[in-house]
Amino acid sequence: MHDIEALFEAMRNAIPAGPVKIKEAVDSGKKVVGCYCAFTPYEVIRAAGAIPVSLCSTSDKPIAAGEEHLPRNLCPLIKSSYGFALTDTCPYFHFCDMVIGETTCDGKKKMYELLDRLRPTHVMQLPQTYFGVDALNVWQAEIESLARKLETALGVTITEDDLSREIKRRNEERRVMEDFYELSKLNPPLLSGQELHLVNEFFKISFGDPRALDMIRELRTKLQENWEAGERRVSAGKQRIVVTGCPTGKSLEKVFSAIEENGGVIVAFENCGGIKPNYEMVNEALPPYEALAVKYLGIPCSCMSPNPKRLDLLETLVDEYKANGVVDIILQACHTYNVESFLVRERITAQGGKGVSYISVETDYSQNDVEQLSTRMGAFMEMIA
């Protein structure tokens, strides 16, 4: 049997070392661009010779500082993002030369006006629909505008060849993650949801390093070989759960624990940090700006109205991953995901003949509801069984 724990341990150790890698890159003359959202086209930033980094936004520690400028009844993700920047406690924000924002919600786009005082912030005006040529044209113009902004800010020129190279590179990263997610289609799945989340977090701080992709490929191969040799990391009979809803992260791991400590196993994360941004490739046959516009505008975030692609994706995931239940995580004051939860419940439970159950969990970044979450997930698993 392969030593799987050694690979997981290496990934755990790599995550806190991410800021050191970025500092070393900055010291060597590299530029760093901070991002918050799956709609940010990494390919354009990389084509400008810079490193895109995902900025800190999933801890409750800086929220009190954020609330000095922001209303308390705002989504914790927004307050955390701003609080980290305000207190200079996010090392990635500390090292970044500029920030790319996007208008996915009213709270974020107004927060970016304040963030711009701390670091130059370019906000992409995202259409609120993926239907129609007009929306596509607007989004393509926004991506081209981002490229011109980066050229001016970083003193570089972005060619279409640069973009095509980075599209191929990013697509390969998506394929590696898509292949990895396939492991959880097996029964029992080859790893727990918390281990799957660890790989997602490791991928996030890989910064395009091909050695990190090789590590994920190696882990996939060894997990599969161990499984074929009879190893079962997850016991049979667990309730198979798809997690959907708001972006996840450190403070929401309490929900994953509540699911997996009460008889469930997470087989797929539909959220922004999981399958949602990776399940469709950028079409390499199209002109690069058009291809990027098609890909990124098609991300089925709840900010889109209507948003049937998310419902279709969830239904597909339930089928392909043979899920027994869907857990919808909604951050307090995230109105789009909260309202859309009605449609998600309706679509998922309409498959009642397949025995698929649904529960929504409204929470924030505090750990005060850990026991309540455990009780609710325990009851949910009993209901499914």
Side-chain angles (χ1 to χ4, degrees):
M1 293 286 184
H2 299 294
D3 184 0
I4 301 298
E5 292 306 324
L7 281 169
F8 279 133
E9 191 60 24
M11 289 182 174
R12 285 190 194 93
N13 293 335
I15 292 171
V20 176
K21 291 169 69 175
I22 291 300
K23 182 181 184 304
E24 290 172 351
V26 170
D27 289 344
S28 70
K30 275 281 188 180
K31 299 295 184 183
V32 175
V33 175
C35 318
Y36 286 107
C37 184
F39 284 99
T40 307
Y42 273 32
E43 294 89 341
V44 181
I45 298 170
R46 288 177 173 176
I51 303 173
V53 297
S54 180
L55 297 173
C56 313
S57 62
T58 61
S59 169
D60 66 336
K61 291 180 182 175
I63 283 182
E67 288 176 345
E68 292 180 11
H69 296 177
L70 299 173
R72 295 190 66 185
N73 61 344
L74 195 61
C75 155
L77 185 148
I78 300 172
K79 292 189 291 187
S80 179
S81 302
Y82 183 67
F84 267 118
L86 196 62
T87 55
D88 196 22
T89 49
C90 173
Y92 297 116
F93 188 88
H94 178 81
F95 289 117
C96 77
D97 297 275
M98 64 182 291
V99 173
I100 308 299
E102 72 310 309
T103 55
T104 47
C105 77
D106 291 346
K108 284 176 80 175
K109 71 185 182 188
K110 298 306 291 183
M111 182 271 282
Y112 290 138
E113 295 176 15
L114 306 183
L115 197 70
D116 188 50
R117 297 180 178 184
L118 304 172
R119 194 73 84 245
T121 301
H122 176 79
V123 179
M124 302 180 73
Q125 302 295 322
L126 177 70
Q128 305 295 285
T129 178
Y130 36 68
F131 292 110
V133 175
D134 290 346
L136 185 64
N137 289 340
V138 167
W139 189 233
Q140 181 173 331
E142 283 295 310
I143 294 175
E144 292 178 6
S145 175
L146 170 64
R148 304 293 85 79
K149 181 72 178 183
L150 288 167
E151 287 179 329
T152 302
L154 305 181
V156 298
T157 300
I158 299 174
T159 67
E160 292 205 351
D161 287 344
D162 294 331
L163 282 174
S164 296
R165 180 193 67 235
E166 296 303 332
I167 285 171
K168 288 184 173 63
R169 185 178 165 206
R170 189 66 173 162
N171 271 349
E172 177 58 19
E173 293 175 7
R174 293 188 182 101
R175 276 190 282 272
V176 169
M177 294 308 295
E178 196 174 36
D179 286 347
F180 192 84
Y181 296 146
E182 299 271 322
L183 295 176
S184 294
K185 290 182 178 178
L186 294 171
N187 192 12
L190 275 61
L191 70 170
S192 71
Q194 292 176 87
E195 290 168 337
L196 185 58
H197 175 63
L198 168 64
V199 177
N200 280 334
E201 293 295 296
F202 173 73
F203 173 63
K204 195 189 297 182
I205 59 92
S206 65
F207 310 122
D209 187 341
R211 292 171 297 182
L213 286 187
D214 287 342
M215 203 165 160
I216 295 172
R217 291 189 187 97
E218 180 186 358
L219 177 60
R220 186 196 192 288
T221 299
K222 290 184 173 178
L223 278 167
Q224 182 137 21
E225 289 177 354
N226 278 11
W227 193 86
E228 289 169 354
E231 182 187 69
R232 295 293 181 266
R233 301 180 63 81
V234 177
S235 58
K238 297 269 188 181
Q239 303 304 326
R240 299 170 64 88
I241 303 297
V242 171
V243 168
T244 183
C246 290
T248 59
K250 189 69 181 174
S251 292
L252 294 181
E253 289 175 1
K254 60 185 178 181
V255 183
F256 312 156
S257 299
I259 293 170
E260 301 205 320
E261 290 171 3
N262 285 285
V265 58
I266 300 167
V267 292
F269 291 95
E270 184 268 345
N271 319 64
C272 301
I275 290 173
K276 195 194 305 256
N278 291 313
Y279 81 108
E280 290 182 331
M281 302 292 137
V282 178
N283 187 341
E284 297 176 21
L286 290 175
Y289 283 111
E290 180 184 349
L292 289 169
V294 171
K295 155 64 187 173
Y296 282 93
L297 190 64
I299 293 174
C301 173
S302 65
C303 66
M304 296 293 174
S305 181
N307 188 24
K309 281 187 70 176
R310 179 178 173 218
L311 305 180
D312 293 342
L313 173 59
L314 274 170
E315 196 170 286
T316 299
L317 294 179
V318 165
D319 281 341
E320 292 186 351
Y321 288 81
K322 298 178 177 57
N324 310 98
V326 171
V327 175
D328 198 352
I329 300 176
I330 299 164
L331 290 174
Q332 289 175 357
C334 181
H335 302 314
T336 56
Y337 273 107
N338 207 352
V339 172
E340 198 165 275
S341 67
F342 177 86
L343 298 174
V344 173
R345 178 192 295 272
E346 187 177 65
R347 175 71 77 91
I348 294 304
T349 56
Q351 301 182 43
K354 298 177 183 176
V356 178
S357 300
Y358 169 91
I359 187 172
S360 65
V361 175
E362 187 172 2
T363 186
D364 59 14
Y365 287 171
S366 76
Q367 302 300 301
N368 296 334
D369 58 352
V370 167
E371 289 188 14
Q372 182 189 50
L373 285 168
S374 180
T375 302
R376 289 193 68 196
M377 286 305 130
F380 184 59
M381 297 309 156
E382 284 185 16
M383 183 186 75
I384 295 175

